[in-house]
Amino acid sequence: MGAGELFDDYVGRRAAGARRGLVATVVVAVIVVGAVSTGLAVRQYRQAQHTALNDLRSRSVVAAAVVDAAFAGDVSALTAAAGSPSVVAADVASMSTYFHRLEAAKGALFNGGMGWVDRTGEVRVSTNRAAGAAPLNVADRTYFKQVLATGKPYVSAGLIGRSLGQPVVVIAVPTHAADGRVSGVLSASIRLQTVNSSRSELELGYAGLEIVDRNGRLILSRLARVRNVALLARVRREGTGVIASTHGLAGTGHDVVAYATATVPAWEIVIDRPRSGVFAAAWRSLELELGLVGAALVAVLGMVGFVVRRARRARGIQDARARAWSDLTRALAAASTPDEVAAALVKALSGAFPDAAAVVVFETVEGSHEVRTSDSRALRRVAGDPDALREVGRSAMAGRQTIQLERIPALAPVFVLSGRRLRAFHGLPMTVHGEAVGGLAVLRLSELALEESEWLLLASFAEQGAFALERSRQFEHDHDLARRLQRSLLPEALPTVAGVELSARYRAGGPGLEVGGDWYDAVRRADGILQLCIGDVIGRGVGAATLMGRHRNAFRAYAYECVSPAEIMRRMLRHLDDDELMITVACVSFDPYTGELAYACAGHPPPLLIADASRTVVKLEHAGSPPLGVAEPRAIREAKLTVGEPSTLVLYSDGLIERRGQNIERGIDLLGRVVADGPGRSIAELIERVTGALGPETDDVAVLVARLALEPVPFEVELPSDPSALPVVRGRLRTWLARRGIAPAEAAEILLAVGEACNNAVEHAYPDDLGTIRLFVDEDGETLRATVGDHGSWREGASGSERGRGIAIMRALMQTAQIETSSAGTEVVLERRLHGADLGAPAHV
Amino acid sequence: MTDPTPAFALQSSVVGDDLVVAVSGEVDMTTAPELARAVETISSQTRTVVVDLCGATFLDSSGLNALISAQRALLKRQVTLRIVAPADGIVRRVFEITQLTEALSVVDSLDDALR
């Protein structure tokens, strides 16, 4: 099972749908439970209301009963008083005394006073009236009429007492004379003010108690008239009951009204309270219950939300892990150094474990271990402790394990340095062929163990990382090797050539690029000729570098052997195998004594020759051939030109001027312009300017620059003691002399004299094998001086006279012709005054 | 090179009883033996060999030595050697310096040599 499949399994997207269904179910359930609970609470509320109503009704009934009982007692007391002898006798004087006495005993009951009224309605006795007060008749009072009419006790409605002038209730009973005939009415009144003032007492918890008399007046409220006639009508009609919702007796408000009838006084006992008061307790309990239900629902919904959020976060993490995975595979494919692999792994770990710090350890090419970490806050201080990090790396490489950091002394610093935040380590090694090449670790704040799926993810990261690491290590190893090889194959120093300033640069393409096979070389031949070469093995890596080394060596060898660039190239062809890579080469020879330049170009961009003063750019493109490896020897051509003014010669590899998608000619022209615009620029500046204009190089860059100053330089060559070398040297010297402004006739004599000196060396110095002849010629405008030296011993030749002629010629043409012989060799020194100066007499042999 | 010297070349022609060897280019150690061979390659009718150095740009002691030894060889066969070297030329100067103008019968022109 591949790591990818493992991971797909791990993501487990199937679960998401089921989770969504579950959440919906839970929400519906919450709503149902909420509705039912609310319903129950409301029902309970209604029951509580009902209870409250019943309670109120009972209270009204009880109140009515109490009132009835009280009046019944009063009636009995009064009836008893009516039976007293003074009353029966209608003895006014003793009645008054009797009443006062009674009043003193029962003042609390009949606080409105007592009185006796005769049949005419005349008040004959009254405890309220002073003796001799104006007569008072109550014949018009209902109570008087009722008692006389019925002969039964009667309780009046509320009325204003005539003697008191205050609201009273009058209780009246008939009095009987001794013969049983109704003699009058005994009345007692109860002052309502008094009742009113102690209303709270009377209420006894009967808040809202009202008593309505026959006339619809409120006994307890100063006989105010009941405004709500409809309600009163209903109360009278029904006698006993409760109305849950109505306007009150005052005709306003939203009240509960309970009522009962006290039959004795024919009063309606009404308890009229605002609903809010009556149902306050029920309402409070409803509120409480609803509050509890609401709180429970909120709690449940909160839990559901939490679960959903957690599920979402889990899904978010899974998405992040899927992203981290695909990013990782991409990044690893592009990574070419272990460092880049580690960076990709750190990024992937950080993505997959957002709440953790990531650590990646890997073995470098050199075999040491490097640690990379994510840029997490908790790790910042840990990163400053290399030992702690190394320990984390070691633990990761040791095997799959979870460690409580705090408990392992070596790892405890990580815990401490992270501000006691990173608690748990989960790590595992990256292995290749069973050998750990690195490790991964996530350091987490939580001590929770990793889930198995998380381990699987880590393992697949490690697996991918291990492969990539191994590949990049191999790659870097190769790269490093190739680069070192290439460096070692490039010349350490360029030759010193009088009149020519050489500089060269090799710049490897960016990191991670395989090395190319670019090279350059410069050789100063013994004959003073400078051989320059730049080449590019088309290919990369160690193979290309090796091949390039071989060809560079071939060039060096043949550059000493041959002057002709084309010939050098032809000989280099010998070193190509059939299956080898192609090679582009440009070879240029330059003779600083003659200014002659020859070149050949095999598939290489043309070297440029830029005249410093006139800034003309010449592309050396007239001796092109296919690259080596393709070209036949005869296809290799050579072209020559003479450099007549100070110039700069630039050899370069295509990496300098070629950019993907750009015309190569543009780059070549740009290079020419850059050189022409600043002849004195350093090679580094030159490269900077070109790459600045074209964009950064993507390939290796090799550049070899020769500044051809064309200053007068001494003619200084070494030549083999081979006769065939002589004509060439003579020819070059002839040109050198001409360039020094020496007239042809004089030059011919000088050539002859120098030639004789050379002849001697060739003929006599090395009779048995080839040796070297050194020739040095210089002039200062007045005197020309030439020396010809060898390391041989001038043995006597076959003919002394032959040798003598040569010497004679030298002496005839030069002011000085000295031959100095020593054990080290022979040196001929010639001197001549120039420009027609008197030669004097020819020297004789 | 930049002042290209003509390659060494010999052209032999028979004018009556005379053999004319016209030399062009440089006569030095490398070419002198060839010159000597050409000069000594004569038929039985040849009475005089004229070496025309008008086209020679260079002649050093090697050339002189070759001509001297050729003259010796020719003398044994009663053949006269004459040399043409224009006055004022560097080649003529070599003969003068070595005082061989007379010994090698150096004349100014081919006409003089064939007279």
Side-chain angles (χ1 to χ4, degrees), chain A residues 409-468:
Chain A
L411 288 171
V414 175
F415 171 65
V416 175
L417 286 173
S418 71
R420 309 182 79 77
R421 292 167 66 197
L422 297 179
R423 291 177 176 279
F425 161 103
H426 311 279
L428 79 179
M430 295 191 275
T431 57
V432 175
H433 307 308
E435 199 180 316
V437 295
L440 304 179
V442 287
L443 307 178
R444 297 221 292 191
L445 282 58
S446 127
E447 283 184 349
L448 286 179
L450 280 194
E451 289 168 24
E452 194 49 39
S453 62
E454 290 176 314
W455 276 117
L456 271 177
L457 182 69
L458 269 186
S460 51
F461 278 11
E463 188 188 353
Q464 289 290 306
F467 283 132

Side-chain angles (χ1 to χ4, degrees), chain A residues 3 9-10 93 121 165 217 243 290 357 359 381 389 403 452 466 484 555 558 566 611 681 689 691 739:
Chain A
D9 216 33
Y10 169 79
R217 287 173 186 277
I243 303 169
L290 285 182
V359 178
R381 282 183 58 210
L389 273 189
I403 298 171
E452 194 49 39
R484 271 188 288 174
F555 164 77
Y558 295 129
R681 277 189 188 127
R689 284 189 177 250
T691 53
R739 284 159 59 104

Side-chain angles (χ1 to χ4, degrees), chain A residues 535-569:
Chain A
D536 185 358
V537 174
I538 299 172
R540 298 198 149 268
V542 177
T546 314
L547 190 60
M548 155 241 163
R550 197 192 312 163
H551 282 278
R552 178 180 162 242
N553 287 337
F555 164 77
R556 284 188 83 82
Y558 295 129
Y560 284 114
E561 209 171 294
C562 319
V563 175
S564 156
E567 188 52 33
I568 294 170
M569 277 192 195

Side-chain angles (χ1 to χ4, degrees), chain A residues 596 642 723-724 727 730 732 734-735 748-749 752 756 759 762-763 802 805-806 808-809 812-813 839 844, chain B residues 1-3 5 26-30 57-62 64-65 68 72 90 93-94 97-100:
Chain A
E596 183 167 301
T642 301
S724 66
R730 252 191 338 262
R732 295 174 63 207
R734 192 192 302 278
T735 307
E749 292 186 357
L752 192 56
E756 290 301 342
N759 283 352
V762 168
E763 283 189 318
E802 284 179 8
R805 280 186 203 103
I809 290 169
L813 298 174
L839 291 180
H844 287 274
Chain B
M1 293 198 137
T2 45
D3 182 13
T5 51
E26 298 187 328
V27 181
D28 67 356
M29 206 181 284
T30 58
T57 54
F58 182 87
L59 183 113
D60 64 4
S61 59
S62 310
L64 287 181
N65 293 337
I68 288 165
R72 281 190 195 132
I90 183 65
R93 185 126 169 72
V94 175
I97 289 166
T98 51
Q99 300 182 358
L100 291 169

Side-chain angles (χ1 to χ4, degrees), chain A residues 172-336:
Chain A
V173 297
T175 55
H176 298 275
D179 54 3
R181 189 177 51 89
V182 173
S183 60
V185 173
L186 181 63
S187 70
S189 51
I190 299 168
R191 268 195 291 202
L192 293 180
Q193 273 99 331
T194 314
V195 171
N196 209 18
S197 70
S198 63
R199 183 169 176 165
S200 58
E201 263 169 56
L202 186 81
E203 277 176 357
L204 298 168
Y206 293 70
L209 179 75
E210 290 290 356
I211 297 171
V212 186
D213 67 11
R214 297 188 181 81
N215 301 332
R217 287 173 186 277
L218 296 171
I219 298 296
L220 300 182
S221 301
R222 296 179 143 272
L223 300 182
R225 191 167 282 283
V226 171
R227 296 243 179 92
N228 195 342
V229 181
L231 176 66
L232 183 60
R234 180 174 170 189
V235 165
R236 290 215 169 115
R237 195 168 58 246
E238 294 181 359
T240 301
V242 63
I243 303 169
S245 176
T246 179
H247 292 309
L249 291 170
T252 58
H254 194 199
D255 295 353
V256 175
V257 174
Y259 49 91
T261 306
T263 47
V264 175
W267 286 357
E268 303 302 332
I269 307 301
V270 176
I271 298 176
D272 177 359
R273 291 193 203 168
R275 278 174 65 89
S276 56
V278 177
F279 299 140
W283 184 246
R284 262 197 304 282
S285 92
L286 176 68
E287 273 179 341
L288 185 69
E289 268 178 63
L290 285 182
L292 284 174
V293 167
L297 289 185
V298 164
V300 169
L301 281 176
M303 269 167 62
V304 169
F306 175 73
V307 167
V308 168
R309 257 191 49 193
R310 251 188 63 153
R312 257 199 211 136
R313 234 187 66 196
R315 203 158 55 243
I317 286 179
Q318 285 171 2
D319 286 348
R321 285 175 179 170
R323 259 201 311 283
W325 175 258
S326 71
D327 287 353
L328 176 67
T329 50
R330 247 202 317 282
L332 287 183
S336 55

Side-chain angles (χ1 to χ4, degrees), chain A residues 1-7 460 463:
Chain A
M1 199 175 188
E5 291 166 72
L6 278 179
F7 186 71
S460 51
E463 188 188 353

